[in-house]
Amino acid sequence: VIVNHKLNARDYEVRAYEVRVPFYTATPKVPRKVADPALLRILSVLPDREERFDNVRSESGLSKGGLANALLEGEWLGLLAVQDREEEPQYWTVKKVMR
Amino acid sequence: MKDESPFTLRRFEYERRHLYYLPNPIFKTLEGEKSVFLIGSRGTGKTTLLTALSWEERLRNAELTAVLSQMGADQNCIGIYIKMPETLAGAFDTWIPAFPLELRASVFCLYIDLIWLQSLMEAVAQMLVEKRLDAPPSKERKLTQRVLDRYKELNADARQTGPFSFKRFASLLYEKRRTMEKWALTAAEPEKERLSRAFPLTQIGSFGRDTENELAMFCEDCDQLRHKWHFKICLDESECLSPFQQRALHTAIRLAHAPVSYVVSYVSMMEDMSNTFIKGMSLQEADRELIELDSMNDRVFSDLAEGVATVRIRNSPTGEAIPTFDTRALLGDLDINELLNSILQISAAPEAKAILALAERLSKSPFYIDTCEQSSTLPIYQAYIIDRLALELPAPNSPHWQRRKQDSAEIRKRMVAAYLCLCKELKTRPKYASAEMLFQMSDKCIRDYLNQMDSLFSEANLPLAEFCKRRLTTDQQNAALREASRRKKDSLPKSEVGSPVETGRLIDALGSLTARLQTTEVKSLRASEKGNFVVDTSRQPPEQGEALRILKEASEAGFFKTETPNERRVRFRMHCSLAPAYGFSYRGAYYDCPLGIREIVAIYHEPDSEARQQLVLSIGDRLLQDSPTLFGAKHDGP
């Protein structure tokens, strides 16, 4: 994660912008090998469309905390995209990354 | 062991879990599709009613959800609660003073729009999470993109990058509001162009209206039952807004249309409740409902008070299962003659024996037998009035016999005056007891009802279950109601009045004056319960502004009861809850007494209590002259 700080010349406010660079491997098999088993379960139930956190939770049967951690790991491994990460997990939406 | 009182008073804000009893007709009006002005002095339950509409409170408080579903409340209404003093509205009153009023009004209304739209976005996001609404995330983003395309100023500096879910759009609105607040707080003087580049400024309230239209359509589309949705913006304690801001708000209300409407609460009627910033357009009855909590009828108030008491008892730690709390079962009905009898029987004064003998004789007279309701107690107050006013009772077949029922009614009207005068004559304090007295002394204020109930509970010293079944003695009631009144009187320094010392002097002086006007024997019997003070405000002496402010603040804090003032006069009386503390009628006052602005000013400016007392005596002497007569000149007393 790269945090980019920008100074606004108008009001002298410093704002932080996050740039996330996912883990990249030559083949998608590698992340799947090292991933948490919970993440693999999530990937198996996750449809191709964007899905709300609670829907994934009911499909995967994971706890809120367990699912949140697994999703963040999935994002780091470049397998998933998580929207609204700065909010509470119930507001997240998740989508598979096609490689 | 004694249970914790379920009637303990706390401001809504200090309660961890608020209990709700919602009067059905009032609540239905509030959640309806029309805007509402909710007027009520402190403690009348405005905050309870407004927070019951709030989506956040519904989410937090399962009990409220149950109450609402039981009463068939609208499940497709999203209420947004905003406590106006907690906003930074004050900073906007003096900001950009050189700009045209309409532009300043537009800026202020945009500020309010940004607050409630943020909350509304969060509400809809929450309903999507809870699956009350069902929509793919892409649909949310399309909506927010449409709004951003129309109002590019919202993300002009691209501080946040899209796409925006409702939750993130709420954050964007919050950021925008914070920027606006910073500018206003630091009194930044932007050029008009810069202001309009930074904020979506158009017609007053237009940004809010456009966005809520989009949201209403979204909700309907995503509701499996295809219900129509509407939004209620609840602005509490709006009296903190300046007249300019109130006018701007009234303009937004005038321009509002379904699915959005407002509930604006004020502690009293504001001076201008109809003007807007649009030429030739005012806020009319057709645009809004008006609910005045201080003038609800007795029946509605007693139902509300007992409903609140019932909910509190049922939710107390001991969880008493009572059907409905019954004040009348606890305190009994009012019987002035019974109260007088209990006082006279133990009095050593010869006048007491004489009045009892007169009452005995009256109880056997044809006039009494024919006109009065038969009762087991002696007609003491009637005998006292007839004797002191030297009334000649008509004999059967005499020409005046025809009028006996009217005469009897005239006597009954003076029941309370007679009670107070007789107690004064016997140098004893009147007793305050019965359900009727308690309701009257609450003066339509739930907080005063609970204060009195709390004092009764404490005086009874019983477990809650026992308390709910018992009838308290007159002496227990009297002691408790006196204590409650004293507590109320002593609460002045903690109230929100601006000049507590001056206000305290005025309350004390007018409390004593009211008691004197109502207990000066014959004069008080002729015009029952004087003490409705009428102040002529047409002459406008220089000190009038300050005097009226003190009166207004004391009324809002529940020490006086003021009628809606007009340009020519202000009419007010002591709040009934203070009756036992000063010894005046539990009904307050009925008859008008002119009081000068200069007299009011002289009272509250006088630091010496004896000199103040002297002032009150001379005002009293003036007011006691020229009383109206009873039964016309022929039957007039000495």
Side-chain angles (χ1 to χ4, degrees):
Chain A
V1 179
I2 298 162
V3 182
N4 194 359
H5 291 90
K6 280 187 185 171
L7 174 71
N8 186 326
R10 211 178 279 163
D11 56 11
Y12 303 108
E13 196 178 327
V14 177
R15 291 166 200 157
Y17 298 85
E18 239 181 47
V19 181
R20 301 177 83 86
V21 183
F23 187 72
Y24 185 80
T25 55
T27 156
K29 282 181 187 165
V30 176
R32 286 177 188 272
K33 273 184 190 166
V34 297
D36 186 321
L39 179 58
L40 300 179
R41 184 141 41 111
I42 293 164
L43 289 168
S44 71
V45 296
L46 200 61
D48 289 341
R49 65 172 184 273
E50 191 176 6
E51 194 60 285
R52 292 188 191 278
F53 180 89
D54 274 3
N55 291 348
V56 183
R57 192 177 155 196
S58 54
E59 286 295 314
S60 66
L62 291 167
S63 69
K64 184 178 168 184
L67 176 60
N69 286 334
L71 289 176
L72 290 176
E73 187 186 303
E75 191 182 38
W76 186 76
L77 288 169
L79 301 171
L80 303 165
V82 177
Q83 291 284 343
D84 291 2
R85 197 187 312 97
E86 63 278 15
E87 305 292 347
E88 287 286 301
Q90 65 266 31
Y91 297 109
W92 293 359
T93 55
V94 188
K95 199 175 177 195
K96 265 187 204 171
V97 172
M98 298 300 173
R99 293 178 68 184
Chain B
M1 198 183 77
K2 199 174 160 246
D3 297 323
E4 191 187 323
S5 168
F7 310 108
T8 310
L9 287 166
R10 277 188 209 101
R11 273 184 75 99
F12 181 96
E13 294 78 358
Y14 302 132
E15 289 182 335
R16 267 189 226 158
R17 186 181 60 123
H18 191 71
L19 300 171
Y20 285 89
Y21 173 79
L22 303 169
N24 211 324
I26 292 178
F27 193 73
K28 291 278 176 202
T29 308
L30 288 178
E31 68 169 4
E33 294 200 4
K34 205 167 163 185
S35 290
V36 183
F37 281 143
L38 181 66
I39 316 289
S41 49
R42 298 213 169 83
T44 46
K46 300 184 297 297
T47 301
T48 297
L49 288 166
L50 291 193
T51 47
L53 287 163
S54 152
W55 70 271
E56 284 172 294
E57 179 70 5
R58 288 180 188 199
L59 204 66
R60 263 195 304 265
N61 193 327
E63 229 154 76
L64 170 63
T65 315
V67 169
L68 291 172
S69 115
Q70 210 172 21
M71 69 192 289
D74 188 349
Q75 300 296 322
N76 301 95
C77 168
I78 303 177
I80 292 121
Y81 176 82
I82 304 168
K83 198 178 192 65
M84 291 313 291
E86 287 175 3
T87 67
L88 290 172
F92 286 79
D93 201 37
T94 47
W95 187 40
I96 43 175
F99 284 16
L101 273 183
E102 286 74 10
L103 178 60
R104 290 178 57 211
S106 183
V107 169
F108 176 68
C109 286
L110 175 65
Y111 174 60
I112 303 294
D113 282 354
L114 289 171
I115 299 176
W116 67 258
L117 271 174
Q118 179 199 335
S119 182
L120 183 55
M121 286 284 172
E122 284 167 351
V124 180
Q126 185 64 33
M127 283 190 294
L128 285 165
V129 164
E130 287 176 2
K131 299 191 174 65
R132 273 211 64 196
L133 297 173
D134 186 25
S138 58
K139 194 166 174 145
E140 278 181 63
R141 298 200 190 106
K142 274 184 194 153
L143 187 154
T144 57
Q145 195 53 53
R146 274 199 303 276
V147 177
L148 281 170
D149 288 345
R150 207 173 308 141
Y151 296 101
K152 295 190 170 56
E153 305 88 341
L154 283 174
N155 204 21
D157 49 4
R159 188 178 286 198
Q160 295 191 34
T161 49
F164 289 93
S165 63
F166 287 159
K167 198 72 184 159
R168 283 198 63 216
F169 195 76
S171 304
L172 182 70
L173 296 175
Y174 172 73
E175 283 282 318
K176 208 75 206 166
R177 167 158 67 96
R178 287 290 299 127
T179 307
M180 204 179 213
E181 284 174 343
K182 276 184 206 166
W183 285 19
L185 275 173
T186 55
E189 291 287 347
E191 287 165 4
K192 269 186 219 162
E193 289 69 27
R194 189 171 166 216
L195 191 72
S196 64
R197 268 201 313 274
F199 301 103
L201 292 171
T202 49
Q203 166 73 301
I204 290 175
S206 151
F207 169 61
R209 284 193 297 279
D210 281 356
T211 312
E212 48 86 2
N213 269 334
E214 292 270 6
L215 277 169
M217 278 191 285
F218 177 91
C219 290
E220 193 182 333
D221 269 3
C222 306
D223 183 343
Q224 284 180 341
L225 300 170
R226 294 269 161 183
H227 282 130
K228 292 258 179 223
W229 286 72
H230 69 110
F231 313 127
K232 208 87 208 193
I233 320 302
C234 308
L235 308 179
D236 201 6
E237 298 187 23
S238 304
E239 63 276 3
C240 74
L241 300 178
S242 68
F244 158 74
Q245 291 174 334
Q246 286 174 9
R247 191 172 162 199
L249 187 59
H250 298 165
T251 310
I253 296 173
R254 178 66 181 83
L255 294 170
H257 50 69
V260 83
S261 58
Y262 293 77
V263 182
V264 182
S265 93
Y266 289 120
V267 75
S268 59
M269 292 292 278
M270 296 292 110
E271 254 174 56
D272 179 4
M273 298 191 72
S274 58
N275 270 332
T276 69
F277 279 108
I278 301 163
K279 205 174 172 189
M281 197 184 256
S282 59
L283 194 59
Q284 302 290 331
E285 268 184 60
D287 306 312
R288 49 79 183 154
E289 299 280 355
L290 178 67
I291 299 176
E292 289 184 86
L293 295 174
D294 288 292
S295 49
M296 66 174 96
N297 75 40
D298 290 350
R299 182 61 199 268
V300 173
F301 176 74
S302 61
D303 285 352
L304 173 63
E306 289 184 336
V308 170
T310 304
V311 169
R312 282 174 167 249
I313 292 168
R314 282 185 194 155
N315 286 281
S316 65
T318 48
E320 299 306 329
I322 52 161
T324 307
F325 179 71
D326 187 353
T327 316
R328 220 161 273 281
L330 180 76
L331 306 178
D333 290 324
L334 173 64
D335 187 339
I336 287 285
N337 281 329
E338 202 172 282
L339 289 175
L340 279 171
N341 196 39
S342 69
I343 294 168
L344 294 178
Q345 292 295 351
I346 54 163
S347 172
E351 294 94 326
K353 302 282 173 283
I355 292 291
L356 281 172
L358 284 172
E360 188 74 48
R361 206 176 324 143
L362 178 65
S363 70
K364 289 169 189 149
S365 73
F367 173 82
Y368 180 73
I369 292 166
D370 194 76
T371 59
C372 298
E373 275 176 40
Q374 295 306 304
S375 149
S376 56
T377 46
L378 286 171
I380 301 171
Y381 79 80
Q382 295 93 331
Y384 177 75
I385 294 171
I386 290 164
D387 180 69
R388 293 301 189 265
L389 293 180
L391 300 178
E392 198 180 305
L393 289 187
N397 304 321
S398 72
H400 211 71
W401 183 249
Q402 304 283 329
R403 284 184 43 140
R404 64 195 183 283
K405 290 227 187 297
Q406 286 159 265
D407 287 356
S408 172
E410 286 295 319
I411 290 176
R412 207 163 36 249
K413 265 196 220 164
R414 283 145 179 89
M415 171 179 83
V416 182
Y419 176 56
L420 298 173
C421 289
L422 183 48
C423 289
K424 174 94 179 288
E425 250 186 74
L426 296 172
K427 296 186 177 57
T428 183
R429 295 199 300 178
K431 287 183 180 176
Y432 293 84
S434 78
E436 191 180 332
M437 279 203 190
L438 180 132
F439 281 125
Q440 290 278 346
M441 291 194 298
S442 303
D443 226 344
K444 309 284 160 60
C445 177
I446 288 292
R447 203 176 284 169
D448 281 309
Y449 173 84
L450 291 172
N451 179 34
Q452 293 178 104
M453 287 306 303
D454 186 54
S455 187
L456 286 161
F457 182 75
S458 177
E459 176 68 28
N461 200 22
L462 292 168
L464 186 55
E466 269 305 295
F467 178 78
C468 293
K469 288 181 208 150
R470 286 274 185 92
R471 163 76 59 91
L472 302 188
T473 66
T474 300
D475 287 337
Q476 281 177 314
Q477 294 183 40
N478 182 42
L481 295 177
R482 274 184 191 289
E483 170 60 17
S485 190
R486 188 195 56 75
R487 271 198 320 222
K488 170 81 182 268
K489 186 182 157 194
D490 292 347
S491 71
L492 179 70
K494 283 184 257 162
S495 72
E496 292 164 35
V497 298
S499 316
V501 174
E502 287 78 5
T503 310
R505 287 175 190 158
L506 193 61
I507 292 167
D508 260 342
L510 296 185
S512 311
L513 179 61
T514 305
R516 181 166 176 236
L517 292 173
Q518 295 182 356
T519 57
T520 308
E521 213 206 310
V522 176
K523 283 175 179 169
S524 302
L525 288 178
R526 283 183 190 155
S528 171
E529 290 148 290
K530 276 189 167 186
N532 237 352
F533 300 109
V534 183
V535 183
D536 179 358
T537 52
S538 59
R539 285 178 219 157
Q540 304 188 341
E543 55 275 65
Q544 181 163 299
E546 185 196 41
L548 293 184
R549 176 188 62 82
I550 288 178
L551 280 180
K552 184 169 178 275
E553 288 179 0
S555 300
E556 289 171 358
F559 294 96
F560 296 136
K561 196 89 173 177
T562 308
E563 271 182 27
T564 307
N566 62 31
E567 284 161 9
R568 283 171 289 119
R569 56 149 185 77
V570 174
R571 181 184 274 129
F572 73 101
R573 62 166 168 78
M574 292 294 292
H575 197 276
C576 296
S577 57
L578 296 166
Y582 293 98
F584 58 81
S585 166
Y586 66 91
R587 304 192 293 194
Y590 287 108
Y591 279 78
D592 285 356
C593 302
L595 193 65
I597 282 283
R598 293 214 161 91
E599 287 174 321
I600 293 175
V601 174
I603 290 170
Y604 69 67
H605 274 167
E606 180 53 66
D608 181 59
S609 63
E610 275 182 31
R612 225 167 32 239
Q613 197 53 39
Q614 209 49 49
L615 202 55
V616 168
L617 280 175
S618 61
I619 297 171
D621 289 343
R622 176 178 66 73
L623 293 173
L624 282 165
Q625 290 165 6
D626 194 31
S627 296
T629 59
L630 182 69
F631 295 178
K634 194 177 168 193
H635 289 275
D636 210 357

